Amino acid sequence: MQDRYWKGWIVREAALAEGLEVLDVGCGTGVLEESLNGRGVPVTGVDLTEEMIRLAQLKQIGCIECLAVGDGERLPFRDASFDVVFSCYVVKYCRPERLASEFMRVLRPKGRLILYDFSSPRGFFAPFHAFYVYGALRILGVVLRQADPGLAFTYQALPTIIRERKWDGSFGDVLSTCGFSEIGERRLSGGVVTVFWGKKA
Ligand SMILES: C[S@@+](CC[C@H](N)C(=O)[O-])C[C@H]1O[C@@H](n2cnc3c(N)ncnc32)[C@H](O)[C@@H]1O
């Protein structure tokens, strides 16, 4: 349910007007596109993993104008092609500077970026989150991977990646270096994810 809340949050924050062209970097199987459907915005989804794109295609989501296999660090689109760029759960896999400069390149003037990814909660909530992610989920992973080996990644490798890639501490500076203005940051669900946004001048 949290993912639905986080996606709903960024879609609301983006205040999309009809006709704006949207890019979703790391679109996966098209979960964000399901939330964007019916808002009158044509969406292009790009993902590094061909299988993800194939699964998104199978859903036949109405707002999807184009799906492409491609790397967020080298987007296969011309300069100034989109009004809004979204990205969910991708920054931690990439070099943030490369990603942000590609977002800047493909955005039109006054275009907006809004993204989120996992981060580490601070303060009171931090030990509970750490117990859940690095303890309970890992044990669950050992049990569930008997049924589906793919779950081993989600429950065992992913927590390590989240802990090692502390992308959120410097991402505001990265956006600023790449030329974004009106940069904002918001930690949601106690900091389980952090949302960043910015605008192309
Ligand atoms: C956890 S999934 C999230 C999918 C989707 N954004 C969502 O919220 O449901 C992360 C996705 O990022 C994609 N990805 C990872 N590195 C990428 C890169 N460098 N460029 C584009 N996509 C990437 C993966 O293939 C995967 O589909």
Side-chain angles (χ1 to χ4, degrees):
M1 295 307 283
Q2 288 296 288
D3 181 59
R4 192 180 293 181
Y5 161 59
W6 299 329
K7 284 190 169 56
W9 198 96
I10 61 167
V11 169
R12 260 194 318 280
E13 186 69 21
L16 297 168
E18 211 166 301
L20 290 182
E21 289 195 55
V22 172
L23 173 66
D24 179 16
V25 177
C27 63
T29 60
V31 180
L32 182 67
E33 285 65 19
E34 289 169 328
S35 313
L36 294 171
N37 201 18
R39 290 170 189 269
V41 291
V43 183
T44 296
V46 61
D47 200 286
L48 195 60
T49 312
E50 204 176 329
E51 184 60 17
M52 290 290 198
I53 291 293
R54 220 173 286 132
L55 290 170
Q57 254 163 359
L58 286 176
K59 289 184 180 171
Q60 301 196 325
I61 304 165
C63 66
I64 295 180
E65 197 175 68
C66 167
L67 286 169
V69 177
D71 186 351
E73 294 188 4
R74 285 186 62 189
L75 287 169
F77 307 110
R78 291 202 195 101
D79 297 359
S81 302
F82 300 97
D83 302 295
V84 179
V85 171
F86 287 110
S87 187
C88 312
Y89 308 112
V90 176
V91 194
K92 66 180 170 306
Y93 297 125
C94 296
R95 287 167 290 187
E97 304 76 18
R98 296 290 288 266
L99 201 60
S101 65
E102 277 298 88
F103 292 158
M104 175 54 92
R105 183 182 67 74
V106 300
L107 275 171
R108 296 190 174 120
K110 297 200 169 96
R112 285 167 297 134
L113 161 71
I114 180 156
L115 62 79
Y116 69 85
D117 203 340
F118 288 117
S119 49
S120 297
R122 301 174 199 141
F124 173 78
F125 185 50
F128 298 100
H129 178 262
F131 171 75
Y132 175 63
V133 174
Y134 307 115
L137 279 189
R138 274 173 187 262
I139 293 166
L140 197 63
V142 172
V143 177
L144 291 180
R145 80 172 164 198
Q146 315 300 332
D148 180 355
L151 290 173
F153 175 78
T154 307
Y155 292 108
Q156 295 183 304
L158 189 59
T160 308
I161 293 172
I162 295 168
R163 186 161 46 190
E164 288 173 357
R165 305 276 166 86
K166 297 211 179 298
W167 66 278
D168 54 311
S170 55
F171 197 67
D173 293 337
V174 170
L175 290 179
S176 173
T177 306
C178 291
F180 281 93
S181 60
E182 298 179 32
I183 296 164
E185 171 184 355
R186 175 84 168 258
R187 296 167 72 78
L188 298 182
S189 306
V192 173
V193 298
T194 301
V195 184
F196 277 90
W197 60 89
K199 190 172 178 181
K200 182 168 179 170

Tab-separated table of all heavy atoms in Angstrom, residues 153-200:
chain	number	residue	atom	x	y	z
A	153	PHE	N	16.372	-11.675	-4.300
A	153	PHE	CA	16.902	-10.341	-4.586
A	153	PHE	C	16.184	-9.296	-3.743
A	153	PHE	O	16.797	-8.488	-3.056
A	153	PHE	CB	16.771	-9.997	-6.078
A	153	PHE	CG	17.196	-8.588	-6.368
A	153	PHE	CD1	18.545	-8.271	-6.449
A	153	PHE	CD2	16.266	-7.566	-6.486
A	153	PHE	CE1	18.956	-6.955	-6.667
A	153	PHE	CE2	16.675	-6.253	-6.708
A	153	PHE	CZ	18.018	-5.956	-6.799
A	154	THR	N	14.836	-9.362	-3.806
A	154	THR	CA	14.047	-8.347	-3.110
A	154	THR	C	14.361	-8.324	-1.617
A	154	THR	O	14.527	-7.262	-1.028
A	154	THR	CB	12.549	-8.623	-3.318
A	154	THR	OG1	12.327	-8.730	-4.712
A	154	THR	CG2	11.684	-7.518	-2.755
A	155	TYR	N	14.441	-9.489	-1.013
A	155	TYR	CA	14.540	-9.518	0.442
A	155	TYR	C	15.975	-9.549	0.960
A	155	TYR	O	16.212	-9.264	2.117
A	155	TYR	CB	13.768	-10.715	0.993
A	155	TYR	CG	12.280	-10.564	0.797
A	155	TYR	CD1	11.594	-11.338	-0.133
A	155	TYR	CD2	11.566	-9.619	1.529
A	155	TYR	CE1	10.232	-11.186	-0.322
A	155	TYR	CE2	10.207	-9.460	1.352
A	155	TYR	CZ	9.545	-10.244	0.431
A	155	TYR	OH	8.199	-10.080	0.243
A	156	GLN	N	16.946	-9.921	0.102
A	156	GLN	CA	18.306	-10.046	0.616
A	156	GLN	C	19.273	-9.048	-0.020
A	156	GLN	O	19.954	-8.323	0.683
A	156	GLN	CB	18.776	-11.482	0.448
A	156	GLN	CG	17.910	-12.387	1.327
A	156	GLN	CD	18.337	-13.827	1.298
A	156	GLN	OE1	18.422	-14.435	0.244
A	156	GLN	NE2	18.593	-14.370	2.462
A	157	ALA	N	19.309	-8.982	-1.366
A	157	ALA	CA	20.258	-8.053	-2.009
A	157	ALA	C	19.792	-6.603	-1.891
A	157	ALA	O	20.591	-5.700	-1.641
A	157	ALA	CB	20.445	-8.428	-3.473
A	158	LEU	N	18.488	-6.382	-2.050
A	158	LEU	CA	17.975	-5.005	-2.061
A	158	LEU	C	18.295	-4.231	-0.770
A	158	LEU	O	18.769	-3.095	-0.832
A	158	LEU	CB	16.480	-5.003	-2.370
A	158	LEU	CG	15.838	-3.651	-2.615
A	158	LEU	CD1	16.496	-2.919	-3.776
A	158	LEU	CD2	14.346	-3.807	-2.894
A	159	PRO	N	18.070	-4.839	0.423
A	159	PRO	CA	18.421	-4.097	1.636
A	159	PRO	C	19.884	-3.669	1.664
A	159	PRO	O	20.208	-2.561	2.115
A	159	PRO	CB	18.123	-5.100	2.763
A	159	PRO	CG	17.083	-5.993	2.193
A	159	PRO	CD	17.406	-6.115	0.727
A	160	THR	N	20.774	-4.511	1.142
A	160	THR	CA	22.204	-4.160	1.129
A	160	THR	C	22.446	-2.977	0.192
A	160	THR	O	23.187	-2.044	0.528
A	160	THR	CB	23.036	-5.381	0.668
A	160	THR	OG1	22.650	-6.479	1.480
A	160	THR	CG2	24.523	-5.131	0.797
A	161	ILE	N	21.797	-3.016	-0.980
A	161	ILE	CA	21.957	-1.905	-1.933
A	161	ILE	C	21.472	-0.601	-1.302
A	161	ILE	O	22.132	0.429	-1.390
A	161	ILE	CB	21.193	-2.202	-3.252
A	161	ILE	CG1	21.844	-3.379	-3.972
A	161	ILE	CG2	21.162	-0.973	-4.160
A	161	ILE	CD1	21.057	-3.880	-5.180
A	162	ILE	N	20.321	-0.673	-0.637
A	162	ILE	CA	19.758	0.547	-0.021
A	162	ILE	C	20.732	1.097	1.025
A	162	ILE	O	20.967	2.297	1.109
A	162	ILE	CB	18.385	0.258	0.619
A	162	ILE	CG1	17.371	-0.120	-0.458
A	162	ILE	CG2	17.887	1.463	1.408
A	162	ILE	CD1	16.081	-0.704	0.084
A	163	ARG	N	21.320	0.181	1.807
A	163	ARG	CA	22.217	0.631	2.877
A	163	ARG	C	23.509	1.235	2.299
A	163	ARG	O	24.046	2.199	2.815
A	163	ARG	CB	22.562	-0.545	3.792
A	163	ARG	CG	23.362	-0.092	5.002
A	163	ARG	CD	23.329	-1.076	6.124
A	163	ARG	NE	23.558	-2.437	5.641
A	163	ARG	CZ	23.391	-3.516	6.391
A	163	ARG	NH1	22.984	-3.402	7.617
A	163	ARG	NH2	23.622	-4.708	5.908
A	164	GLU	N	23.984	0.641	1.180
A	164	GLU	CA	25.272	1.096	0.640
A	164	GLU	C	25.162	2.343	-0.231
A	164	GLU	O	26.085	3.139	-0.288
A	164	GLU	CB	25.938	-0.042	-0.147
A	164	GLU	CG	26.450	-1.115	0.802
A	164	GLU	CD	26.971	-2.339	0.095
A	164	GLU	OE1	26.889	-2.380	-1.151
A	164	GLU	OE2	27.450	-3.251	0.794
A	165	ARG	N	24.034	2.492	-0.934
A	165	ARG	CA	23.902	3.646	-1.829
A	165	ARG	C	23.164	4.772	-1.136
A	165	ARG	O	21.936	4.842	-1.174
A	165	ARG	CB	23.110	3.265	-3.089
A	165	ARG	CG	23.659	2.105	-3.824
A	165	ARG	CD	24.777	2.557	-4.762
A	165	ARG	NE	25.516	1.402	-5.229
A	165	ARG	CZ	25.182	0.667	-6.279
A	165	ARG	NH1	24.141	0.985	-6.976
A	165	ARG	NH2	25.910	-0.366	-6.629
A	166	LYS	N	23.898	5.621	-0.485
A	166	LYS	CA	23.245	6.729	0.229
A	166	LYS	C	23.103	7.900	-0.737
A	166	LYS	O	23.730	8.937	-0.593
A	166	LYS	CB	24.056	7.094	1.460
A	166	LYS	CG	24.127	5.947	2.459
A	166	LYS	CD	24.219	6.436	3.873
A	166	LYS	CE	24.271	5.291	4.874
A	166	LYS	NZ	23.097	4.435	4.878
A	167	TRP	N	22.283	7.712	-1.756
A	167	TRP	CA	22.122	8.681	-2.840
A	167	TRP	C	21.472	9.985	-2.381
A	167	TRP	O	21.761	11.057	-2.899
A	167	TRP	CB	21.281	8.067	-3.960
A	167	TRP	CG	19.867	7.813	-3.516
A	167	TRP	CD1	19.421	6.741	-2.798
A	167	TRP	CD2	18.750	8.670	-3.700
A	167	TRP	NE1	18.085	6.879	-2.516
A	167	TRP	CE2	17.643	8.054	-3.074
A	167	TRP	CE3	18.550	9.892	-4.333
A	167	TRP	CZ2	16.372	8.619	-3.065
A	167	TRP	CZ3	17.281	10.463	-4.329
A	167	TRP	CH2	16.214	9.826	-3.701
A	168	ASP	N	20.581	9.874	-1.358
A	168	ASP	CA	19.734	11.027	-1.028
A	168	ASP	C	20.488	12.158	-0.338
A	168	ASP	O	20.088	13.312	-0.443
A	168	ASP	CB	18.531	10.577	-0.187
A	168	ASP	CG	18.946	9.799	1.053
A	168	ASP	OD1	19.772	8.866	0.927
A	168	ASP	OD2	18.465	10.121	2.146
A	169	GLY	N	21.605	11.835	0.335
A	169	GLY	CA	22.350	12.864	1.063
A	169	GLY	C	22.857	13.979	0.156
A	169	GLY	O	22.928	15.135	0.559
A	170	SER	N	23.206	13.629	-1.083
A	170	SER	CA	23.823	14.633	-1.965
A	170	SER	C	23.000	14.919	-3.219
A	170	SER	O	23.426	15.697	-4.070
A	170	SER	CB	25.213	14.134	-2.388
A	170	SER	OG	25.075	12.860	-2.979
A	171	PHE	N	21.831	14.317	-3.334
A	171	PHE	CA	21.122	14.434	-4.621
A	171	PHE	C	20.638	15.856	-4.907
A	171	PHE	O	20.590	16.280	-6.060
A	171	PHE	CB	19.968	13.419	-4.702
A	171	PHE	CG	19.497	13.209	-6.112
A	171	PHE	CD1	20.313	12.600	-7.052
A	171	PHE	CD2	18.250	13.639	-6.515
A	171	PHE	CE1	19.898	12.424	-8.366
A	171	PHE	CE2	17.815	13.467	-7.826
A	171	PHE	CZ	18.647	12.854	-8.755
A	172	GLY	N	20.302	16.593	-3.864
A	172	GLY	CA	19.897	17.994	-4.059
A	172	GLY	C	21.032	18.796	-4.707
A	172	GLY	O	20.815	19.574	-5.639
A	173	ASP	N	22.273	18.572	-4.237
A	173	ASP	CA	23.437	19.259	-4.816
A	173	ASP	C	23.661	18.819	-6.259
A	173	ASP	O	24.034	19.619	-7.115
A	173	ASP	CB	24.701	18.949	-4.000
A	173	ASP	CG	24.625	19.560	-2.610
A	173	ASP	OD1	23.869	20.536	-2.450
A	173	ASP	OD2	25.301	19.050	-1.708
A	174	VAL	N	23.426	17.529	-6.508
A	174	VAL	CA	23.595	17.008	-7.878
A	174	VAL	C	22.623	17.721	-8.823
A	174	VAL	O	23.009	18.178	-9.905
A	174	VAL	CB	23.363	15.473	-7.907
A	174	VAL	CG1	23.280	14.956	-9.329
A	174	VAL	CG2	24.455	14.745	-7.142
A	175	LEU	N	21.373	17.852	-8.372
A	175	LEU	CA	20.363	18.525	-9.216
A	175	LEU	C	20.767	19.970	-9.469
A	175	LEU	O	20.649	20.478	-10.590
A	175	LEU	CB	18.982	18.474	-8.549
A	175	LEU	CG	18.300	17.102	-8.484
A	175	LEU	CD1	16.962	17.213	-7.777
A	175	LEU	CD2	18.105	16.515	-9.882
A	176	SER	N	21.266	20.612	-8.433
A	176	SER	CA	21.674	21.999	-8.563
A	176	SER	C	22.853	22.120	-9.537
A	176	SER	O	22.859	22.981	-10.425
A	176	SER	CB	22.034	22.504	-7.163
A	176	SER	OG	22.579	23.747	-7.233
A	177	THR	N	23.828	21.243	-9.425
A	177	THR	CA	24.997	21.258	-10.325
A	177	THR	C	24.566	21.058	-11.772
A	177	THR	O	25.153	21.623	-12.693
A	177	THR	CB	25.992	20.137	-9.915
A	177	THR	OG1	26.301	20.304	-8.547
A	177	THR	CG2	27.260	20.156	-10.745
A	178	CYS	N	23.529	20.230	-11.967
A	178	CYS	CA	23.064	19.962	-13.334
A	178	CYS	C	22.167	21.083	-13.873
A	178	CYS	O	21.677	20.986	-14.997
A	178	CYS	CB	22.316	18.638	-13.387
A	178	CYS	SG	23.408	17.242	-13.133
A	179	GLY	N	21.904	22.088	-13.058
A	179	GLY	CA	21.178	23.255	-13.553
A	179	GLY	C	19.714	23.316	-13.157
A	179	GLY	O	18.988	24.205	-13.608
A	180	PHE	N	19.251	22.411	-12.319
A	180	PHE	CA	17.842	22.465	-11.889
A	180	PHE	C	17.641	23.613	-10.907
A	180	PHE	O	18.535	23.957	-10.130
A	180	PHE	CB	17.432	21.141	-11.213
A	180	PHE	CG	17.137	20.041	-12.186
A	180	PHE	CD1	18.127	19.136	-12.558
A	180	PHE	CD2	15.880	19.914	-12.747
A	180	PHE	CE1	17.866	18.121	-13.464
A	180	PHE	CE2	15.601	18.904	-13.658
A	180	PHE	CZ	16.597	18.007	-14.016
A	181	SER	N	16.438	24.183	-10.937
A	181	SER	CA	16.071	25.212	-9.956
A	181	SER	C	14.823	24.735	-9.211
A	181	SER	O	14.266	23.685	-9.549
A	181	SER	CB	15.808	26.545	-10.657
A	181	SER	OG	14.760	26.376	-11.571
A	182	GLU	N	14.387	25.524	-8.235
A	182	GLU	CA	13.202	25.195	-7.425
A	182	GLU	C	13.279	23.747	-6.923
A	182	GLU	O	12.308	22.987	-6.993
A	182	GLU	CB	11.910	25.426	-8.218
A	182	GLU	CG	11.736	26.880	-8.616
A	182	GLU	CD	10.470	27.137	-9.428
A	182	GLU	OE1	9.463	26.439	-9.206
A	182	GLU	OE2	10.509	28.045	-10.271
A	183	ILE	N	14.450	23.385	-6.429
A	183	ILE	CA	14.695	22.008	-5.971
A	183	ILE	C	14.031	21.788	-4.616
A	183	ILE	O	14.089	22.653	-3.736
A	183	ILE	CB	16.214	21.751	-5.872
A	183	ILE	CG1	16.838	21.850	-7.265
A	183	ILE	CG2	16.509	20.386	-5.244
A	183	ILE	CD1	18.340	22.007	-7.243
A	184	GLY	N	13.382	20.658	-4.466
A	184	GLY	CA	12.750	20.331	-3.195
A	184	GLY	C	13.006	18.885	-2.838
A	184	GLY	O	13.357	18.065	-3.693
A	185	GLU	N	12.805	18.597	-1.555
A	185	GLU	CA	13.069	17.248	-1.047
A	185	GLU	C	12.047	16.958	0.027
A	185	GLU	O	11.737	17.829	0.836
A	185	GLU	CB	14.484	17.239	-0.454
A	185	GLU	CG	14.815	15.994	0.295
A	185	GLU	CD	16.207	16.070	0.950
A	185	GLU	OE1	16.935	17.060	0.719
A	185	GLU	OE2	16.536	15.153	1.710
A	186	ARG	N	11.515	15.755	0.056
A	186	ARG	CA	10.543	15.391	1.094
A	186	ARG	C	10.711	13.916	1.422
A	186	ARG	O	10.724	13.073	0.525
A	186	ARG	CB	9.138	15.667	0.563
A	186	ARG	CG	8.036	15.238	1.453
A	186	ARG	CD	7.744	16.318	2.511
A	186	ARG	NE	6.490	15.982	3.170
A	186	ARG	CZ	5.333	16.566	2.902
A	186	ARG	NH1	5.258	17.530	2.023
A	186	ARG	NH2	4.240	16.187	3.535
A	187	ARG	N	10.878	13.645	2.719
A	187	ARG	CA	10.981	12.245	3.151
A	187	ARG	C	9.569	11.763	3.450
A	187	ARG	O	8.832	12.422	4.167
A	187	ARG	CB	11.884	12.154	4.382
A	187	ARG	CG	13.317	12.586	4.056
A	187	ARG	CD	14.157	12.807	5.279
A	187	ARG	NE	14.508	11.577	5.961
A	187	ARG	CZ	15.456	10.740	5.569
A	187	ARG	NH1	16.149	10.998	4.484
A	187	ARG	NH2	15.715	9.642	6.244
A	188	LEU	N	9.195	10.626	2.888
A	188	LEU	CA	7.852	10.083	3.108
A	188	LEU	C	7.936	8.809	3.947
A	188	LEU	O	8.948	8.097	3.910
A	188	LEU	CB	7.178	9.753	1.765
A	188	LEU	CG	6.924	10.907	0.790
A	188	LEU	CD1	6.219	10.397	-0.465
A	188	LEU	CD2	6.088	12.015	1.432
A	189	SER	N	6.858	8.524	4.652
A	189	SER	CA	6.766	7.324	5.507
A	189	SER	C	7.961	7.238	6.453
A	189	SER	O	8.614	6.186	6.563
A	189	SER	CB	6.659	6.055	4.648
A	189	SER	OG	5.591	6.159	3.743
A	190	GLY	N	8.267	8.340	7.095
A	190	GLY	CA	9.362	8.358	8.072
A	190	GLY	C	10.732	8.307	7.429
A	190	GLY	O	11.730	8.080	8.124
A	191	GLY	N	10.814	8.482	6.119
A	191	GLY	CA	12.127	8.466	5.447
A	191	GLY	C	12.422	7.140	4.761
A	191	GLY	O	13.546	6.914	4.323
A	192	VAL	N	11.433	6.276	4.674
A	192	VAL	CA	11.634	5.003	3.960
A	192	VAL	C	11.954	5.294	2.492
A	192	VAL	O	12.781	4.633	1.878
A	192	VAL	CB	10.389	4.086	4.088
A	192	VAL	CG1	10.524	2.848	3.215
A	192	VAL	CG2	10.192	3.684	5.534
A	193	VAL	N	11.295	6.316	1.948
A	193	VAL	CA	11.697	6.826	0.629
A	193	VAL	C	11.897	8.342	0.745
A	193	VAL	O	11.322	8.988	1.628
A	193	VAL	CB	10.655	6.551	-0.494
A	193	VAL	CG1	10.431	5.071	-0.711
A	193	VAL	CG2	9.348	7.273	-0.246
A	194	THR	N	12.708	8.867	-0.167
A	194	THR	CA	12.860	10.324	-0.271
A	194	THR	C	12.498	10.743	-1.691
A	194	THR	O	12.929	10.113	-2.662
A	194	THR	CB	14.294	10.756	0.080
A	194	THR	OG1	14.583	10.336	1.408
A	194	THR	CG2	14.448	12.270	0.004
A	195	VAL	N	11.668	11.789	-1.757
A	195	VAL	CA	11.253	12.355	-3.041
A	195	VAL	C	12.096	13.606	-3.297
A	195	VAL	O	12.322	14.396	-2.387
A	195	VAL	CB	9.767	12.791	-3.008
A	195	VAL	CG1	9.320	13.284	-4.374
A	195	VAL	CG2	8.874	11.678	-2.523
A	196	PHE	N	12.554	13.765	-4.526
A	196	PHE	CA	13.223	15.001	-4.951
A	196	PHE	C	12.492	15.557	-6.152
A	196	PHE	O	11.983	14.799	-6.986
A	196	PHE	CB	14.673	14.726	-5.356
A	196	PHE	CG	15.622	14.687	-4.197
A	196	PHE	CD1	15.874	13.492	-3.547
A	196	PHE	CD2	16.260	15.835	-3.752
A	196	PHE	CE1	16.747	13.435	-2.464
A	196	PHE	CE2	17.119	15.801	-2.668
A	196	PHE	CZ	17.379	14.598	-2.027
A	197	TRP	N	12.472	16.861	-6.276
A	197	TRP	CA	11.917	17.480	-7.473
A	197	TRP	C	12.744	18.705	-7.853
A	197	TRP	O	13.517	19.238	-7.030
A	197	TRP	CB	10.448	17.823	-7.300
A	197	TRP	CG	10.132	18.775	-6.196
A	197	TRP	CD1	10.083	20.130	-6.279
A	197	TRP	CD2	9.820	18.445	-4.833
A	197	TRP	NE1	9.763	20.664	-5.048
A	197	TRP	CE2	9.596	19.660	-4.149
A	197	TRP	CE3	9.730	17.252	-4.116
A	197	TRP	CZ2	9.284	19.702	-2.794
A	197	TRP	CZ3	9.426	17.290	-2.761
A	197	TRP	CH2	9.197	18.510	-2.121
A	198	GLY	N	12.588	19.118	-9.086
A	198	GLY	CA	13.306	20.290	-9.573
A	198	GLY	C	12.747	20.724	-10.911
A	198	GLY	O	11.964	19.997	-11.537
A	199	LYS	N	13.142	21.919	-11.337
A	199	LYS	CA	12.584	22.490	-12.557
A	199	LYS	C	13.709	22.941	-13.482
A	199	LYS	O	14.744	23.427	-13.008
A	199	LYS	CB	11.719	23.688	-12.165
A	199	LYS	CG	10.892	24.250	-13.280
A	199	LYS	CD	9.940	25.292	-12.714
A	199	LYS	CE	9.129	25.925	-13.822
A	199	LYS	NZ	8.230	26.942	-13.335
A	200	LYS	N	13.491	22.782	-14.782
A	200	LYS	CA	14.460	23.283	-15.758
A	200	LYS	C	14.135	24.744	-16.037
A	200	LYS	O	12.999	25.049	-16.378
A	200	LYS	CB	14.389	22.466	-17.039
A	200	LYS	CG	15.390	22.879	-18.092
A	200	LYS	CD	15.447	21.839	-19.189
A	200	LYS	CE	16.425	22.221	-20.271
A	200	LYS	NZ	16.661	21.118	-21.218
